[in-house]
């Protein structure tokens, strides 16, 4: 809920309201996004390099795309990828549990 109310001891006291946090304001209306994602599995030691990826946006501008590499067995790769995706979403302001309940598909 945006800006939780506390029972005021004095209705003229401006401190009877808490103020919305950044996440409250961000989630007031859940935004929609496109997640750009790609995976390629090759034998370890065969990768010589990775070039920068560029996205072309509808407004004519472009945006860079961060590329990541992991080495390991299939179970290690799965764990690394899971941790990387979790970290990506943890860095974004956005869907707290209550938002997922309210706005999630």
């Amino acid at each position: 809920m945006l800006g939780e109310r506390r029972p005021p001891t004095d209705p003229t006291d401006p401190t009877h309201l808490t103020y919305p946090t950044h996440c409250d304001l961000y989630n007031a209306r859940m935004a929609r996004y496109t997640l750009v994602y790609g995976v390629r599995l090759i034998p370890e030691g065969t990768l010589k390099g990775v070039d920068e990826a560029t996205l072309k946006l509808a407004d004519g501008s472009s945006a860079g795309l961060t590329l990541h590499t992991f080495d390991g067995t299939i179970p290690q790769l799965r764990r690394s990828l899971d941790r990387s995706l979790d970290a990506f979403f943890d860095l974004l302001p956005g869907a707290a549990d209550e938002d997922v309940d309210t706005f999630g598909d």
Side-chain angles (χ1 to χ4, degrees):
M1 181 172 174
L2 192 61
E4 295 178 28
R5 294 186 180 273
R6 293 181 301 187
T9 53
D10 174 4
T12 62
D13 180 5
T15 63
H16 76 278
L17 285 179
T18 59
Y19 293 94
T21 66
H22 172 71
C23 287
D24 288 332
L25 295 173
Y26 181 85
N27 290 323
R29 187 172 178 104
M30 184 60 71
R32 305 285 298 183
Y33 296 95
T34 298
L35 177 65
V36 179
Y37 191 83
V39 176
R40 176 72 185 237
L41 190 62
I42 60 172
E44 188 173 22
T46 61
L47 181 64
K48 183 176 178 180
V50 176
D51 291 330
E52 183 177 330
T54 304
L55 303 175
K56 294 180 177 138
L57 306 178
D59 67 0
S61 66
S62 61
L65 180 66
T66 302
L67 302 174
H68 300 267
T69 62
F70 305 108
D71 294 319
T73 64
I74 297 296
Q76 290 169 331
L77 293 173
R78 288 183 80 150
R79 285 191 302 273
S80 295
L81 184 58
D82 284 344
R83 284 193 300 267
S84 180
L85 287 173
D86 286 343
F88 173 78
F89 286 103
D90 286 345
L91 291 174
L92 297 175
D97 290 338
E98 62 271 5
D99 296 317
V100 173
D101 292 341
T102 304
F103 299 102
D105 298 328

